[in-house]
Amino acid sequence: MHVLITGAAGMIGQRLAARIAREGMCAGRPLSRLTLTDVVAPPRPAGFDGPIDIRTEDSSSAAIATELAALRPDIIFHLAAIISGEAERDFDKGYRINLDGMRNLLEAIRQESAKNGLYVPKLVFSSSSGIFGAPFPPAISDEFHVTPLTSYGAQKAIGELLLADYSRRGFVEGVGIRFPSIVIRPGKPNASAGGFFSGIIREPLQGQEALLPVGDDVLFTHASPRSAVGFLLHGASLTREQLGLRINLSMPGVCVTVGEQIEALRRIAGDRAVKLIRRAPDPAAADIVKGWPTRFDARRALSLGFRAEQDFDEIIRVHIEDDLGGRLPN
Amino acid sequence: MHVLITGAAGMIGQRLAARIAREGMCAGRPLSRLTLTDVVAPPRPAGFDGPIDIRTEDSSSAAIATELAALRPDIIFHLAAIISGEAERDFDKGYRINLDGMRNLLEAIRQESAKNGLYVPKLVFSSSSGIFGAPFPPAISDEFHVTPLTSYGAQKAIGELLLADYSRRGFVEGVGIRFPSIVIRPGKPNASAGGFFSGIIREPLQGQEALLPVGDDVLFTHASPRSAVGFLLHGASLTREQLGLRINLSMPGVCVTVGEQIEALRRIAGDRAVKLIRRAPDPAAADIVKGWPTRFDARRALSLGFRAEQDFDEIIRVHIEDDLGGRLPN
């Protein structure tokens, strides 16, 4: 089983590569080779004795996509993307990486098959709840309309449509994974509009102050980075028969208010941590977040066996285990 | 007011050009120039004294799109497309004409604006109910999911997403018109799976036999070619404020069973006409039609003033008026 990961230097990509290498398995079959590509060199994961190819390149170009398809990986995790804020600032770059990158990869696979003999890999595509756009019903069902309000969301929605059509035509075995908010992101605070969802937990756990720009009543659906990796791996294990023709799936998550996030932090790290959250209302940030989907009724994903955490306490505990060495900093 | 129509030699394109030329108006403003383009020469419409440019070319190429945008038409009706059956047979051609053609046009408009000064035309895009895919609810609401089951449907859905994003970013003023079944198509029977919806009316009105490959209980939503032209013109007249961000709209139509179509034919042309319909069940055709959307709850379009016929009798009468010179052949 040869596994290729694009965007392998990203937060999810690194964890996915690490888990596959550590387990030596993917989708129930032994790993024989791992190819990692990104615009910056992905770290070499530990625990796997077989060949690991580290590639530093822009995989969105048709030429690189052709090279990658010629390697004939059995499973491709296509995670390479420009994130939402950057796709909004740089229109051309967003379309080039997020749309052309996806289409070039699909086309390279189809051409590889036509030129060198049947080749139909499993293709796991990281999509996003950003394909949805307000106004929303109280819970977004699996049959809710697709009306993104960002270029990133439009590009991901187009990627889903391409993936579904190339799959229906038999060129790939696709599955699209619509991530909810993935928290708690490790590292430093960043400027993204939703950064506070991680920050109000991550910083206080480290004894540092965190700013909260929105009200306690803001509702949102989260899963941990560990769950995100689990979604991708579970997606890779599903058969065409299990998926049917609607291959793009909203993932489950923990739907909580910011206030409930804070109470989970209190249960795990005490009042001292909670006191480090400083309310700094920012109407602009509140406005952006208001346009985001809040709650999903992810029935299909649940029925197909996708699982997220049960509550926000568990998301915090996963962060402590996976990013803080298993214990609270004192 | 300079109006450009792509796909102007098609059934809808010809009628749209004829009506605009005849009325000398479009979207409430006087016509000053009309540009018609298609891969075969569109006929020159009568009744307009100003300049009419007839272009024979493949407008889906980036070079031609750039030429067209440089003409700076105020309103563009983008009707050029490969139809469903051909897009299914010829994967590359479908994506080239239906997806690249749309993207090249949008990009040409954006670049024209960037190079030569602000240019934000109204862009009316002919989409299709083919963006939806079975299984369906009893009526498809304005918020139903987008899961096309044909390459044509995928390409139109992608066109809608691009149009919405380019509109949201202020590069065009877009509106997407999702046509229901358009009947009664003039001309000879064709091999398209839904051709019988027209054929069982058109042929008997001419004293000729028509084959009916599906059962009388098949339900479908129709509007006349005259209504299709009306949808496009009404779309062109709507403002950005009226449309909001969800600019792609399912059109209203007459939802009837095949049996009800036949009874309408009986009321208008008598038993003699109905007797010319020969039932020739074709399970393959029935299977294809089963995957098509049946009924729309087109509330937004209705509230925005789009109107179709009231019943199928009216659709037949429109056919007699517009295609048979106003009276039944004897």
Side-chain angles (χ1 to χ4, degrees), chain B residues 107-129:
Chain B
E107 213 26 47
I109 291 166
R110 175 171 166 251
Q111 296 303 334
E112 168 64 22
S113 195
K115 275 182 302 196
N116 300 321
L118 189 66
Y119 169 56
V120 183
K122 173 69 72 175
L123 178 50
V124 185
F125 173 56
S126 68
S127 187
S128 162
S129 55

Side-chain angles (χ1 to χ4, degrees), chain A residues 8-60:
Chain A
M11 194 264 282
I12 305 290
Q14 286 191 31
R15 284 161 199 248
L16 176 65
R19 177 157 162 200
I20 292 173
R22 190 172 69 239
E23 296 183 347
M25 299 280 289
C26 187
R29 284 168 56 195
L31 185 68
S32 60
R33 183 176 172 189
L34 187 56
T35 301
L36 307 176
T37 175
D38 208 323
V39 288
V40 296
R44 181 173 296 271
F48 174 60
D49 290 337
I52 301 181
D53 299 316
I54 306 277
R55 300 171 59 110
T56 309
E57 64 203 358
D58 178 354
S59 67
S60 73

Side-chain angles (χ1 to χ4, degrees), chain A residues 134-186:
Chain A
F136 297 117
I140 296 175
S141 81
D142 289 320
E143 299 205 328
F144 188 63
H145 201 22
V146 174
T147 56
L149 295 179
T150 60
S151 291
Y152 175 81
Q155 291 145 11
K156 287 294 183 186
I158 292 170
E160 286 192 359
L161 286 161
L162 291 170
L163 186 67
D165 198 42
Y166 275 72
S167 295
R168 187 184 60 81
R169 300 289 287 247
F171 301 133
V172 295
E173 283 193 33
V175 58
I177 303 293
R178 286 181 201 136
F179 286 120
S181 152
I182 300 299
V183 297
I184 293 133
R185 302 182 72 88

Side-chain angles (χ1 to χ4, degrees), chain B residues 137-155:
Chain B
I140 296 176
S141 81
D142 288 321
E143 299 205 328
F144 189 63
H145 201 22
V146 175
T147 56
L149 295 179
T150 60
S151 291
Y152 175 81
Q155 291 145 11

